[in-house]
Amino acid sequence: MTSDSTHPQPIHLEPFNQSTPPPSGRLIVFTGPSGVGKGTLLRTLMFNHPELHLSVSATTRQPRPDEVDGKHYHFVSKAHFEQMICKKELLEWAEFAGHFYGTPRLPIEQHIHDGHSIILEIELQGARQIHRNFPDALRIFILPPTFEELESRIRMRNQDSEAAIIRRLEQAQMEIAAAPEFDVQLVNDDLNTTVQTLEAIIFK
Ligand code: ADP
Ligand code: 5GP
């Protein structure tokens, strides 16, 4: 987030009442550098466990060729995003690599209230906001085996411009340094092994 007056400013978030939701409803935060494999891991996890729910974020970035509005993200204008902040419709939000990203509040409150576990796949600033407001959330940080492997995965994905790749790699260094803040740190080396470890952590 920046303090630049042209950008939206942070808002104070009231945590929802954590004494009322049934005990099975859990907030799970997934963080890690772009390209580390969060999306790939989550797709497998959701396929294996349809009872889990994944939050659909709002973003001001442009859709990638295979992305569907309302499924991968709610793609919104900057003005619309600012409105969502003003109306306190976002549980957390942050600026990442030149775009805004945020978690719509209502679906999360509904899922937790209904006793469903819900996963937020968000970057570091957002994860910190969630930790401040929802200290019981389980926060998992996904690490790459090496920085070289991270760069190769971002390039292999072949979905970002060279400028975007450089920005994401710069951001990645800063994010990886914050990994010890998280409850769990997991290296995504072999995909199946990582999924199995995640299952053991989430369903223990
Ligand atoms: P993120 O959601 O963290 O930005 P993606 O899920 O898009 O990352 O993964 C980036 C690239 O890395 C994709 O091409 C994906 O297939 C690949 N990938 C993900 N996990 C692994 C893994 N464990 N081993 C090798 N490649 C992986
Ligand atoms: P991408 O543009 O690669 O889809 O996402 C860029 C970064 O934004 C990723 O680290 C992703 O986890 C993060 N992100 C996605 N949605 C949200 C959100 O709602 N809030 C925050 N804080 N970060 C998000």
Side-chain angles (χ1 to χ4, degrees):
M1 270 176 287
T2 78
S3 57
D4 183 333
S5 61
T6 60
H7 290 103
Q9 295 301 300
I11 52 169
H12 174 70
L13 292 169
E14 290 295 337
F16 46 81
N17 184 348
Q18 295 199 317
S19 62
T20 48
S24 53
R26 198 174 189 197
L27 203 51
I28 302 167
V29 175
F30 243 69
T31 302
S34 179
V36 76
K38 302 181 297 297
T40 310
L41 290 167
L42 284 173
R43 270 195 299 280
T44 313
L45 203 59
M46 307 307 290
F47 181 80
N48 294 349
H49 302 279
E51 73 273 23
L52 288 175
H53 298 263
L54 185 60
S55 166
V56 179
S57 297
T59 183
T60 59
R61 88 152 158 72
Q62 290 299 306
R64 294 178 180 140
D66 59 343
E67 286 180 330
V68 177
D69 188 30
K71 181 176 175 205
H72 297 97
Y73 278 107
H74 300 289
F75 294 99
V76 300
S77 65
K78 192 171 167 207
H80 186 145
F81 195 93
E82 285 170 344
Q83 264 189 355
M84 293 176 90
I85 294 173
C86 288
K87 292 180 175 169
K88 302 196 187 248
E89 289 175 0
L90 298 176
L91 203 57
E92 61 71 37
W93 65 270
E95 185 178 358
F96 180 92
H99 303 288
F100 292 102
Y101 296 81
T103 303
R105 174 190 287 274
L106 259 178
I108 306 295
E109 291 183 342
Q110 193 60 57
H111 278 303
I112 298 289
H113 179 268
D114 292 346
H116 303 152
S117 289
I118 181 146
I119 301 181
L120 313 186
E121 194 247 281
I122 60 177
E123 54 66 71
L124 180 62
Q125 302 305 318
R128 284 176 173 155
Q129 289 174 53
I130 293 292
H131 182 52
R132 280 197 295 275
N133 291 302
F134 308 98
D136 291 343
L138 171 65
R139 292 169 314 133
I140 301 172
F141 194 94
I142 308 294
L143 287 157
T146 62
F147 202 77
E148 291 69 31
E149 171 67 12
L150 179 69
E151 177 165 0
S152 132
R153 285 185 194 173
I154 293 184
R155 292 189 182 282
M156 208 167 54
R157 184 167 64 185
N158 204 20
Q159 285 186 334
D160 300 293
S161 67
E162 185 60 27
I165 289 172
I166 289 167
R167 271 198 297 200
R168 278 159 193 266
L169 287 172
E170 283 168 2
Q171 196 98 16
Q173 278 175 328
M174 189 267 289
E175 293 202 302
I176 288 170
E181 292 177 23
F182 285 69
D183 302 313
V184 176
Q185 296 156 50
L186 200 52
V187 177
N188 179 23
D189 194 347
D190 173 69
L191 190 65
N192 288 332
T193 308
T194 313
V195 169
Q196 281 168 15
T197 310
L198 276 173
E199 289 175 331
I201 292 164
I202 292 173
F203 297 103
K204 76 174 174 206

